Amino acid sequence: MSSLSRELVFLILQFLDEEKFKETVHKLEQESGFFFNMKHFEDQVQAGEWDEVERYLCGFTKVEDNRYSMKIFFEIRKQKYLEALDRQDRAKAVEILVKDLKVFASFNEDLFKEITQLLTLDNFRQNEQLSKYGDTKSARNIMLVELKKLIEANPLFRDKLAFPAFKSSRLRTLINQSLNWQHQLCKNPRPNPDIKTLFTDHSCNPTANGARPPPTNSPLVGPIPKAGAFPPIGAHGPFQTVVSPSPGAIAGWMSNSSPSLPHPAVAAGPGGLVQSSNAAAFLKHPRTPTGMTGMDYQSADSEHLMKRIRAGQSDEVSFSGVAHTPNVYSQDDLTKAVVRTLNQGSNVMSMDFHPQQQTILLVGTNVGEISLWEVGSRERLAHKSFKLWDLSAASMPLQTALLNDAGISVNRCVWGPDGLMLGVAFSKHIVQIYTFNPTGELRQHLEIDAHVGGVNDIAFAHPNKQLCIVTCGDDKTIKVWDAVAGRRQYTFEGHEAPVYSVCPHHKENIQFIFSTAIDGKIKAWLYDCLGSRVDYDAPGHWCTMMAYSADGTRLFSCGTSKEGESHLVEWNESEGAIKRTYLGFRKRSLGVVQFDTTRNRFLAAGDEFQIKFWDMDNTNMLIAVDADGGLPASPRLRFNKEGSLLAVTTSDSGIKILANSDGLRLIRMLESRAIDKNRVPSEPINSKPLIVNALGPMGNVSGAIASTLDRPDRVPPAVSINSLGTMDSSRLVDVKPRIVDDGDKVKSWKIPDVSDSSQMKALRLPDSMAPSKVVRLIYTNSGLALLALTSSAVHKLWKWQRSERNPSGKATAYVVPQLWQPPSGTLMTNDINDGKPAEESAACIALSKNDSYVMSASGGKVSLFNMMTFKVMTMFMLPPPAATFLAFHPQDNNIIAIGMEDSTIQIYNVRVDEVKTKLKGHQNRITGLAFSQTLNALVSSGADAQLCMWSIDKWEKLKCRLIQAPAGRQSPLVGETKVQFHNDQTHLLVVHDSQISIYDSKLECSRSWSPKDTLPAPISSAIYSCDGLLVYAGFCDGAVGVFDADNLRLRCRIAPSAYIPSFTGSSTTTYPFVIAAHPSEPYQIALGMSDGAVHVVEPSDTELKWGGTPSQDNGSLPSNSSNPSLAGQPSDLPPR
């Protein structure tokens, strides 16, 4: 609709309102969707007209549009449900539950169960969370406050909450002007024309004498009434609006989906995502897009092949032309023995073994991390936290999705066919491709904004002898990308639901792709954009994955229905029919069952807290193993290429490695190699070729030499286990591949002490304000700015601009930023306590996830500032006691944990301006707070040097522990103690002036380091790097230490003379009072100094990282640790 047509609707709305056509007004508001009348909406809610409320809302948004809309509909239906229960109308309550609330069950099953259980209570107020529910009127008013904020924050209502400003009776005025103009054009205008209709143009009849009177501008259609009654709409609330998210982003609204689901965005996604406008026509009328040339290998052979892959049903049909000898196996061939347990630290979503290096395991998690593990040595060889490589190139839907919810999960991670490349599909829009070389380095290769919503699967293929990437997503499409440049080559449309998985394959030199969608449809595509060649149904009609046997001759699929029925089947490709169905699944699986194939012999699937095995030629299950317990209901699993090892996920965010007889020999060989490595001096890194015995094919263990790798120019030939027995022992030390993360690159610094400015890049940020000690310092979550809070209660914000030298606009020591202020010149200044100087008051600060507002305090009230205008949006918590620490709840930005000067912790709801509860357990003021979603806990620290852990469900104290005093310090300790969770959400960094320590989830100290030797001064501050691999610590003599996060080994000491040119080492030494770590650059830090300066520090070359070979200044075990597993040498510690 054009802008003028839109304005005409507003004129009609005004006219109808002035004429008192009330129902018609609201009907037009709803049908046009141009103006949301908040007053009408409030009246309907307060009257309990729930059907009308939803009908009116539906003119502007639907349940599945975004998380704000979903929350709006949920609150309304929940209120309707509670009112029915309050009236004791159980039948109506059940009807509402089934018809209105069940739609939310797929997004938060636990919440739906809890709502259902209210039916069993005599009074739903017996539920703790509803204990404060008052009468119906007050409950509706409270809900209205919430609904108004959600509506104002919902981008779909942007520009629809205020009626345009124009004069009253504007439509009448325009009609009068038109009639006056028509009257002027009359050949014989009369002085007092009689207007009888608006249906035709006005024309005056000729006068008696033919005279032409002067035109008149008087109203022709009656008087203009007074201004209408369209209500004024209030201003937006304190929380800013956000850009409209994509439909696919809705999946993360209530909570993360079940850990057992492989693709949360699909499993939880709504059925009503954006439809492909021409999906049906696409299937019925195949077409070739202009400018798209066909691949040279697609010929009549391809059509002949696809004609043989048709939908249909038959009983047992054998493969034509393919003979399978019966499998002969022994129990030793099955991977049953648990040989390794790896602690990933977050929920594992996907795994894949390297296709050549058989003990290298790629892992992706629900927090967007990927890791590389050497399962033989239990070492985590590489670790990458999620970050956008180029935010400026990200599409607006992607930026919006991340702005609304920064959480992101790996849906699938997979190696390329030659192991030189790996791909990662994420739950929001993108895939990332890394290259992998024999030195073990992962390099960023491609970042592709691939789909709207989640990218549910990724695979590699070789159409036309060119390596390509195949992806599928929530937008119901399959796309093919050039693996070199990232250009899109094909888009396949035709599915009517989000596409769950893809399976590229080739037969008779014909390349094709199988795809499955969550409506159970299986389609097959040639690389020719002529539409799907196959369309048939998968058993279960829901989430299904397909895989071929190792020799590519047999096709299998495994899927689970919405009702929990699992189906593992073999297909007859030539007939499109099921050849056999494997038996042994639980009748109601608790999650989507995962499966894998190995050695052309076995199938394995995770079900019923077990791993179940089948012989491919026998429908009856061979055996089920529980891997010594600890498996989730539907564990994920993955074989290595030779089938000797099986990786299985555990319920405690770990991985178990199961082995058969070959795998056991492999693991023992790796263990003996580690012993030999300790006995024999190792040669310099890269001084001779890598030997990849356990990394290459091992099908024939008795053979002397295994087959060479696909890329001999990149990786030397593999050798068998037996051939290793005759090798010189000095070469054994290099058999294990050296896979290292960015922190251990070959080019890393070898200088343990950085004392000169030429060895690093340091930038003192410009500051025209009066100097005052920096007491708090944080980067914005985007990494584009740095925010400091000074002891004078004033905030300072530095912003970096995009330029040729800094195209990303991220914070860097190479470009000078701007000390930014809004045009008004306003300063963000905290409220202070008149009875106590700001310099003596505890300061605290917390930033919202989308960087739009900051919460801060300096001894007075807590202030909420708008980061764009620096204006105070609200203030609360009048002291005493004063707030000393702030932390946002990880799942709800409206819930804040506030540490207080009186040693309590207040759980405060900003939305309703209410303290939900007070936590008591410390003896002195609170100095640190850290949430863990994995542990579902809050950890607090205080000036009493005590740690307390609290559940965030019921806010109950779980445990308390005093931190241990190092040797030579009087116990118990006192003084400020800070805490920060590692990326794995289970390990905790504890900082005190006497030590930095790592604690586990039970608050047991696993490693600590105390000032000594080259770093003797007390510790002022410490923080994890963004990737969790390093710990940066500041010292009261101005030095900075860089430590390995695993073991607190000192990697590097940065002397104050390296970043403070005028440093003299006098008794009045300035020092870093606080350290901040960049959110996406692990080697960049910012130092807030005691003299008010702020320095940004990073290595002088992007290829150079902090530290080289770790010094022997190792972190020590606590002397009285109660954890027996920590009593050995560092190498015996379980990896994280």
Side-chain angles (χ1 to χ4, degrees), residues 172-244:
R172 288 178 178 274
T173 301
L174 290 174
I175 293 173
N176 276 323
Q177 291 172 348
S178 172
L179 292 173
N180 277 316
W181 178 249
Q182 293 173 32
H183 186 59
Q184 290 182 37
L185 297 179
C186 287
K187 293 181 179 179
N188 301 292
R190 300 176 61 181
N192 294 301
D194 184 17
I195 306 298
K196 295 184 178 180
T197 181
L198 297 177
F199 293 158
T200 58
D201 288 346
H202 164 67
S203 178
C204 291
N205 294 322
T207 58
N209 57 8
R212 182 185 179 94
T216 176
N217 285 320
S218 61
L220 300 180
V221 291
I224 298 175
K226 293 182 179 180
F230 277 101
I233 303 298
H236 287 266
F239 299 98
Q240 292 184 319
T241 59
V242 293
V243 184
S244 175

Side-chain angles (χ1 to χ4, degrees), residues 416-431:
D418 55 7
L420 300 177
M421 191 177 287
L422 65 89
V424 188
F426 292 92
S427 60
K428 291 179 182 162
H429 295 255
I430 66 167
V431 298

